[in-house]
Amino acid sequence: MSRENLFVITKIQVEFKDYQTAKKSIDESLQRLNLNYLDLLLIHSLEPWVEFHNKENHYFEENIEVWCAMEEAVNNGKVRSIGVSNFTPILVFGT
């Protein structure tokens, strides 16, 4: 089966909440999967699991850093699409 017939999705590990770690994670995922690009890359969750539903820290700034690393990966041809997983609409759109 050719690569074009596969749609490969992966996530940035939930504990990775900074630009450099996210960037490294993307490169490591590509290496482990032996791929030149990912079809979809997601931020796994708003918060690390050990702090999930912590009302005091929703990692807004940290998730922006991760998003910036993901946008850079798109611009560099490493990823085709990006998104989020396990976020709530309020926390994504900031109402």
Side-chain angles (χ1 to χ4, degrees):
M1 180 178 289
S2 69
R3 171 64 179 96
E4 293 76 28
N5 292 328
L6 298 173
F7 191 88
V8 179
I9 304 167
T10 194
K11 297 177 182 178
I12 301 285
Q13 189 170 323
V14 70
E15 293 80 15
F16 297 168
K17 293 296 181 193
D18 65 84
Y19 174 83
Q20 289 298 330
T21 305
K23 187 174 173 177
K24 182 179 177 187
S25 172
I26 295 164
D27 290 336
E28 288 176 352
S29 291
L30 288 167
Q31 277 185 320
R32 280 193 306 270
L33 294 167
N34 195 28
L35 296 173
N36 295 324
Y37 67 91
L38 300 166
D39 294 289
L40 177 59
L41 179 65
L42 302 170
I43 298 177
H44 192 163
S45 180
L46 175 68
E47 306 158 334
W49 296 132
V50 295
E51 297 182 40
F52 203 66
H53 297 298
N54 176 349
K55 301 295 182 203
E56 296 183 27
N57 187 357
H58 291 297
Y59 289 82
F60 290 116
E61 296 301 319
E62 294 86 345
N63 284 311
I64 290 170
E65 285 190 34
V66 174
W67 189 263
C68 288
M70 292 167 55
E71 285 182 328
E72 181 179 290
V74 170
N75 292 335
N76 291 334
K78 296 178 181 181
V79 177
R80 297 214 169 151
S81 299
I82 55 178
V84 296
S85 174
N86 298 314
F87 280 56
T88 63
I90 292 172
L91 296 174
V92 171
F93 298 110
T95 58

